[in-house]
């Protein structure tokens, strides 16, 4: 198990390195054009060159990358070209906000999806058909449309929630909850749909397995077999889908934050992109990739814990 | 003395393992066997004995790492794909599972015309040949337009046999060809195979785990155990009065459908086991 | 995934043509109609636009629907209808661009990698995990920062990001099909690689690709409109997303502006998802049998003749343990209930081994499951009784049956591997029933389980106890299952083809074990089998089943010697054991196989 974890950790690190290298190369390949874009079309070539020199863009790409990497390893991701703040501070300031949305949505999605999926698989009939329809809609309709609908209906028409804004947890837990409820709901819809579908499918599959009959033949009750054996065997595939959904949630947060004007990573990315703030964009890519890789690592470890074949081979 | 149709000499098959340090899995450890024109050679063994691998090696589907397989005096192991394809009208196969050996989305006609198109038969000729083949395996002539799942296991196996016969091969490898079938179908398919042999003089390598089936169809029998042939010879002798201890164990292990005979066989087996145990401890 | 092969699942459905079946479902018909409408707008919508979609009139800002502007104007005074028509064209075509790129890269790569395998496997796994370790929107934002706003460019990049979806799908399908025997058969038939890929493999991957394509298109539309919604698109190119952005800016003043693009996006996505769903049901589920067990394949249906009974006087001796009367079992199918067991009588005495013999589909296994109350989904007992130790198992509820299972009746299944839960150790699966049913404490249950493992001839009980099922051989697994079945000392053991999946030498040992245990514990055994050798070895009495009827029953010796029913006789005639050997090919010219 330890060797398995170590192997995954190393391969995750290598992946992160590869991603940052590719991202750096693609983002900085523009060279002089980058400075021109920042200065606008009216600046003289001299001004552009001076700015490029200021930002270190006149050096060969390889050299730029080496010094960036050296800094990055010590925790310095450079300075934003616009706010002049360190990239790391900019990102970590917003990270907590986005993570609270995404983690909240993941937890909600897991709970709802397990309940709906197991219910649909065990009861079948109309419950199953309703869950299927819900899953289809939740999967098909993009999360930000749901967000817009929620804002229009619950916030603007009915006034039950604040339409926009974010209150930090430390400031007021109640208001924090009120401010994240709608975004989390909107965000989790597609994850609920996808995970519920997967759980339904794998529970139905597991229920048909021979060992279910054999365990029941020894006098164990149906409920007991479902809750212990069927769920355990369905958890692996569901976890894999949950991992993919987590990445989707991270992306969905970018747009949902915009709808609710929540000052998270999403908003920061949109600003950085609009401004062409390349050090910040790179920092965001790096942090997002790190989160995704960490989550995938966690899921791999859970899979290994669940599945003796993975763990013992 | 005529030259055998197929001659397998000291064949070793090693499947590559995963990873660089893995030595792989040695499935055949120097196996020799020959098959003559019009002859059925039975190859019997338990799972993992290598009997299926030997069949696949002859068909060019398993990697022969040393030794030789000659067909009519020509070396055929390790041939490149293009040359191997020219053998398709000489050596054919009938697999065990009549479900996965027929593509479920193709009609019977498409399945049977597949080998014919390789040879470049024209449309009309191919159709006539297909009708002939269906007749030969006693399937209705309208079977061609239907899909495999519309047929029972026994009928599917007839289709697989028709496909193998399409190019009039001289050798057919039957890999557990009747193992998935019910008793009565099993006997019918075996009769069909024997009739085809008597008419056409084709040879069979008949791979099976079932000693009774092998005894029924084979002129000669070879017994495999752990990648080696431990005993071979005349079919009747090997399957009723074997010399090798493993073959004897195999023979005594199969229950006979007669309560009194079986009771006796059980006692013999217990005695043999006790003797072997004794020899091992001494 | 079930045991069925990939190929079988993707075979096309039977009966009516696919279009007819799709239209028969109202939701699918509506979806197709809507998608058809969208297609019309995409290819013929632009000339219909009443105005230039980018012409803004400062006099007509946020005009309501009606009059000159059927759907009103937006915040810049542009005609909403014209914008919607043009936006539909651009949004849909851009999504299709993403699909095309993804298909091109993913399908071609997946086919080649799946068929040729090797290092492709490693490289592709790495590439896919590289592409999949960033949320698409973040990549697209980064690309936008460098390349500027262009919906076409961003959708082309999105196509690359989506290509692993197709790659993985095609790769896994192809590498499983490559192992299929029919591909081997095609190779032996002399087909080249290109032909095999084209004829056999493309046929299998086609349906899943079409399904996935509908899903991918819907994803592309969602991502694209999200990106444009953020206001990062080219302002001169109207898309559904940029219209949403415009509407969102005026959400308090003119919420209707959000409606049109939102409806367009939502309906298109839902229509694509519905289509994908129906296609999946039709193309993948359609080939599956209608549910329930297979029925007998050949031969006429048995009519309800009274079975031949040898020595009926020997039954009803008071030692009767299980008595089945008039049992009928049916399975729900779309065409109504299909009966697979047509009213049979059967009894097992205490300490007796009763063989239930028949060919596949004769209903013997369904009979056994019905007695235990463990029929597969869709199956139920239609009539009859099964009296076990004085109680009718079929009359009571599930709770009553659950009480009898384990303590009263034990069960040994056919397939050793699939009948052990792969996620739990062998020991825990043995201990669980002991604790739940017999109320033993952990220590006592463990000791009992270890004792049982030793009793069934497992050389190292401690090790097997803590092993997982995949770590033991099939023969060992079957011993474990037998240990589990007898762990609660049932009076009746139901063994369903207990040795069929085993090698002959292992079969002999397992039969010995079953006989020993039966005698030690004085159990009644209902032994379901198709093998007359097994019958001769173990059974005291035999019942022969065919097409859901029992045609003959009696003491084993009498059935073997004087079978009366023609079916029994034909079965016994088909036995090859003990028959004469074929003999050598030609008496002259012989040589041994191994010279």
């Amino acid at each position: 198990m330890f060797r398995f974890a170590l192997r995954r950790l190393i391969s995750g690190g290598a992946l992160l390195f590869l991603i940052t290298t590719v991202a750096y190369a693609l983002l900085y390949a523009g060279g002089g054009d980058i400075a021109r874009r920042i200065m606008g079309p009216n600046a003289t070539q001299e001004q552009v060159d001076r700015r490029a020199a200021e930002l270190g863009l006149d050096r060969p790409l390889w050299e730029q990358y080496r010094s960036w990497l050296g800094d990055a390893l010590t925790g310095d991701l450079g300075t934003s070209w616009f706010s002049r703040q360190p990239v790391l501070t900019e990102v970590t300031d917003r990270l907590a906000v986005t993570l609270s949305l995404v983690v909240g949505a993941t937890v909600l999605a897991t709970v709802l999806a397990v309940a709906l999926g197991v219910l649909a698989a065990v009861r079948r009939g109309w419950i199953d058909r309703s869950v299927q329809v819900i899953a289809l809609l939740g999967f098909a309709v993009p999360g930000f449309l749901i967000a817009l609908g929620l804002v229009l209906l619950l916030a603007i028409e009915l006034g039950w929630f604040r339409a926009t804004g974010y209150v930090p947890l430390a400031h007021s837990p109640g208001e924090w909850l009120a401010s994240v409820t709608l975004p989390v709901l909107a965000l989790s819809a597609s994850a609920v749909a996808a995970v519920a579908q997967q759980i339904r499918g794998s529970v139905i599959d597991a229920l048909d397995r021979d060992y279910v009959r054999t365990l029941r033949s020894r006098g164990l009750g149906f409920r007991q077999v479902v809750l212990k054996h069927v769920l355990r065997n369905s958890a692996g595939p569901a976890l894999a889908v949950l991992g993919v959904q987590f990445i989707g949630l991270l992306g969905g947060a970018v747009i949902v934050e915009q709808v609710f004007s929540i000052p998270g990573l999403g908003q920061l990315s949109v600003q950085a992109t609009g401004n062409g703030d390349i050090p910040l964009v790179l920092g965001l890519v790096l942090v997002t990739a790190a989160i995704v890789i960490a989550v995938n690592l966690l899921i791999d470890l859970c899979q290994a814990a669940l599945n003796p074949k993975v763990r013992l081979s | 003395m005529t030259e055998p149709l197929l001659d397998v000499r000291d064949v070793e098959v090693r499947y590559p393992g995963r990873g660089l340090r893995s030595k792989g899995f040695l499935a055949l450890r120097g196996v020799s066997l020959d098959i003559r024109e019009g002859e059925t050679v039975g190859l019997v063994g338990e799972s993992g004995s290598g009997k299926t691998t030997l069949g696949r090696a002859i068909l060019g589907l398993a990697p022969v790492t040393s030794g030789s397989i000659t067909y009519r005096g020509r070396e055929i192991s390790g041939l490149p794909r293009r040359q191997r394809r020219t053998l398709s009208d000489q050596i054919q196969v009938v697999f065990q599972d009549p479900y996965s050996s027929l593509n479920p989305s193709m009609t019977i006609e498409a399945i049977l015309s597949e080998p014919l198109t390789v040879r470049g038969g024209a449309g009309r000729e191919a159709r006539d040949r297909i009708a002939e083949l269906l007749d030969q395996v006693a399937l209705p002539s309208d079977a061609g337009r239907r899909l495999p799942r519309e047929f029972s296991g026994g009928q599917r196996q007839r289709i697989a046999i028709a496909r193998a016969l399409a190019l009039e091969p001289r050798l057919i490898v039957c890999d557990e060809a009747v193992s998935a079938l019910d008793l009565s179908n099993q006997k019918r398919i075996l009769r069909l195979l024997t009739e085809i042999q008597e008419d056409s003089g084709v040879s069979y390598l008949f791979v099976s785990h079932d000693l009774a089936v092998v005894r029924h169809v084979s002129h000669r029998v070879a017994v495999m155990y752990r990648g080696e042939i431990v005993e071979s010879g005349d079919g009747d002798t090997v399957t009723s009065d074997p010399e090798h201890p493993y073959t004897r164990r195999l023979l005594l292990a199969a229950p006979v459908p007669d309560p009194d005979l079986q009771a006796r066989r059980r006692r013999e087996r217990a005695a043999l086991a006790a003797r072997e145990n004794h020899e091992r401890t001494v | 995934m079930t045991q069925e092969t990939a190929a079988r699942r993707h075979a096309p459905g039977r009966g009516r043509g696919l279009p007819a079946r799709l239209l028969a479902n109202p939701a699918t018909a509506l979806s197709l109609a809507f998608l058809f409408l969208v297609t019309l707008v995409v290819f013929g919508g632009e000339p219909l636009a009443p105005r230039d979609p980018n012409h803004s009139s400062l006099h007509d800002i946020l005009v309501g629907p009606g009059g000159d502007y059927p759907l009103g104007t937006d915040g810049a005074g542009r005609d909403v209808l014209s914008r919607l028509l043009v936006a539909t064209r651009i949004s849909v075509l851009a999504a299709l661009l993403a699909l095309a790129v993804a298909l091109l890269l993913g399908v071609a790569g997946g086919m080649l990698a799946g068929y040729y395998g090797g290092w492709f496997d490693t490289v592709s796994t790495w590439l896919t995990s590289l592409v999949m370790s960033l949320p698409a929107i973040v990549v697209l934002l980064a690309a936008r920062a460098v390349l500027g706003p262009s919906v076409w460019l961003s959708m082309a990049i999105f196509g690359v990001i989506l290509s692993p979806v197709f790659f993985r799908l095609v790769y896994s399908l192809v590498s499983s099909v490559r192992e299929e025997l029919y591909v081997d058969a095609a190779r032996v038939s002399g087909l080249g690689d290109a032909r095999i890929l084209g004829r056999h493999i493309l046929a299998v991957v086609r349906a899943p690709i079409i399904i996935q394509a509908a899903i991918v298109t819907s994803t592309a539309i969602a991502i694209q409109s999200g990106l444009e919604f953020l206001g990062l698109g080219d302002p001169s190119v109207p898309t559904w997303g940029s219209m949403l952005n415009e509407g969102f800016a005026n959400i308090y003043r003119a919420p209707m502006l959000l409606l049109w693009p939102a409806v367009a996006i939502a309906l298109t996505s839902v229509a694509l998802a519905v289509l994908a769903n129906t296609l999946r049901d039709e193309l993948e589920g359609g080939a599956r049998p209608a549910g329930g067990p297979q029925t007998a394949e050949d031969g006429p249906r048995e009519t309800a003749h009274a079975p031949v009974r040898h020595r009926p006087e020997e039954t009803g001796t008071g030692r009767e343990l299980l008595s089945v009367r008039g049992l009928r079992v049916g399975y729900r199918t779309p065409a109504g209930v299909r009966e697979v067991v047509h009213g049979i009588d059967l009894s097992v005495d205490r300490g007796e081994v009763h063989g239930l013999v028949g060919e596949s589909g004769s209903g013997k296994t369904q009979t056994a499951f019905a007695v235990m109350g463990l029929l597969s989904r869709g199956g139920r007992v239609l009539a009859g009784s099964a009296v076990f130790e004085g109680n009718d198992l079929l009359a009571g509820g599930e709770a009553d049956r659950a009480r009898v299972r384990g303590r009263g009746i034990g069960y040994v299944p056919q397939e050793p591997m699939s009948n052990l839960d792969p996620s739990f150790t062998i020991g825990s699966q043995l201990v669980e029933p002991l604790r739940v049913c017999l109320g033993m404490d952990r220590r006592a249950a463990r000791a009992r389980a270890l004792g049982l493992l030793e009793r069934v001839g497992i050389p190292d009980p401690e090790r097997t106890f803590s092993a997982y099922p995949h770590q033991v051989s099939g023969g060992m697994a079957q011993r474990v299952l037998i240990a589990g079945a007898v762990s609660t000392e049932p009076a009746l053991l139901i063994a369903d083809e207990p040795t069929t999946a085993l090698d002959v030498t292992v079969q002999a040992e397992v039969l010995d074990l079953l006989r020993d245990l039966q005698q030690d514990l004085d159990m009644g055994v209902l032994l379901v089998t198709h093998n007359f050798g097994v019958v001769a070895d173990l059974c005291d009495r035999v019942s022969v089943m065919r097409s859901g009827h029992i045609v003959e029953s009696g003491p084993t010796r009498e059935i073997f010697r004087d079978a009366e029913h023609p079916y029994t006789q034909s079965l016994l005639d088909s036995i090859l054991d003990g028959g004469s050997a074929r003999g050598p090919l030609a008496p002259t010219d012989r040589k041994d196989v191994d010279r």
Side-chain angles (χ1 to χ4, degrees), chain A residues 286-304:
Chain A
L286 180 66
V287 169
T288 320
I291 294 174
V292 170
I293 288 171
V295 167
N296 281 339
L297 183 71
L298 196 68
I299 285 182
D300 277 352
L301 292 181
C302 290
Q303 294 280 27

Side-chain angles (χ1 to χ4, degrees), chain A residues 19 27 37 124 136 140 144 205 209-211 213-214 216-219 224 229 233 247 259 273 292 308, chain C residues 1-2 132-133 141 144-146 248 269 369 374 376-377 398 405-406 418-419 421-423 432 436-437 468:
Chain A
I19 288 171
L27 285 171
R37 213 174 310 137
R124 305 300 281 270
L136 184 80
F144 68 95
D205 200 42
R209 292 297 162 121
D210 291 341
Y211 58 76
R213 174 179 285 117
T214 302
R216 291 182 67 196
S217 80
R218 308 237 175 105
Q224 197 170 5
H229 297 270
N233 282 289
I247 304 174
V259 173
T273 304
V292 170
Chain C
M1 254 237 248
T2 56
M132 288 176 83
S133 54
L141 284 177
R144 158 71 172 74
V146 183
F248 186 58
S269 305
F369 287 171
L374 292 177
S376 306
R377 182 179 288 280
E398 167 60 22
R405 287 196 293 263
S418 66
N419 278 287
D421 184 340
S423 301
E432 196 182 354
V436 173
C437 302
Y468 284 92

Side-chain angles (χ1 to χ4, degrees), chain B residues 138-210:
Chain B
L139 280 175
S141 53
D142 67 339
R145 286 188 299 279
R146 293 193 272 161
L147 290 169
R149 67 158 168 276
E150 296 174 51
F151 295 92
S152 67
Q155 288 172 320
R156 286 178 197 221
Q157 208 56 316
R158 288 173 192 269
I159 297 165
I161 292 171
R163 173 176 56 193
L165 291 173
L167 295 177
E168 299 170 84
R170 301 311 303 151
L171 171 65
I172 299 180
V173 175
C174 299
D175 185 4
E176 299 274 12
V178 297
S179 304
L181 304 180
D182 276 329
L183 265 183
S184 43
N185 273 323
Q186 186 174 329
K187 194 159 188 182
R188 274 181 231 137
I189 294 290
L190 290 176
R191 192 181 307 137
L192 174 69
L193 287 171
T194 314
E195 282 166 12
I196 289 168
Q197 183 168 56
E198 280 159 3
D199 290 347
S200 66
V202 65
S203 309
Y204 295 126
L205 176 68
F206 201 92
V207 178
S208 177
H209 70 280
D210 189 332

Side-chain angles (χ1 to χ4, degrees), chain C residues 102 363 571:
Chain C
L571 272 185

Side-chain angles (χ1 to χ4, degrees), chain C residues 344-503:
Chain C
I344 61 158
D345 298 342
L346 185 72
S347 69
V348 182
D349 285 356
R350 273 176 209 284
E352 172 200 53
V353 182
H354 191 132
L356 190 55
V357 200
E359 296 190 301
S360 55
S362 59
K364 51 193 193 302
T365 295
Q366 298 310 315
T367 303
F369 287 171
V371 169
M372 291 186 291
L374 292 177
L375 288 167
S376 306
R377 182 179 288 280
R380 65 195 165 98
V381 171
L382 303 174
S385 64
V387 177
F388 173 75
E389 294 188 321
N391 300 315
D392 185 358
L393 296 174
L394 304 182
E398 167 60 22
D400 298 324
R401 277 193 291 275
R403 247 193 307 283
V404 175
R405 287 196 293 263
R407 266 162 295 180
I409 303 179
Y411 163 63
V412 181
Q414 171 173 359
E415 280 290 333
M417 279 312 176
S418 66
N419 278 287
L420 288 167
D421 184 340
S423 301
F424 290 86
T425 59
I426 285 171
S428 79
Q429 293 181 60
L430 287 174
V431 163
E432 196 182 354
L434 293 176
R435 300 198 58 198
V436 173
C437 302
L438 302 187
M440 297 171 91
D441 65 30
R442 188 179 298 272
R443 185 187 301 252
R446 185 189 153 86
R448 168 83 156 263
L450 284 170
L452 282 163
L453 287 176
E454 192 168 1
R455 173 68 190 85
V456 295
I458 283 173
D460 188 349
E462 290 274 355
R463 213 175 105 197
T464 305
F465 186 90
S466 49
Y468 284 92
H470 73 274
Q471 296 171 310
V472 303
S473 71
M476 284 298 146
Q478 192 63 314
R479 287 172 195 271
V480 169
L481 285 164
I482 292 172
V486 301
S487 64
T488 43
E489 303 200 340
L492 173 69
L493 188 70
I494 294 182
D496 181 16
E497 303 268 12
T499 58
T500 305
L502 306 175
D503 270 328

Side-chain angles (χ1 to χ4, degrees), chain B residues 110-127:
Chain B
I111 290 170
L112 294 182
S113 66
E114 194 160 69
L116 298 174
T117 53
V118 170
R119 196 164 57 177
R124 182 163 187 84
E125 243 173 88
R127 264 201 305 281

Side-chain angles (χ1 to χ4, degrees), chain C residues 5 8 28 50 84 102 106 111 138 322 338 347 452 540-541 592:
Chain C
T5 59
R8 219 170 296 154
T28 317
L84 190 62
M111 291 269 270
V138 170
L322 172 76
R338 188 167 55 95
S347 69
L452 282 163
D540 303 308
R541 265 197 301 159
D592 249 341

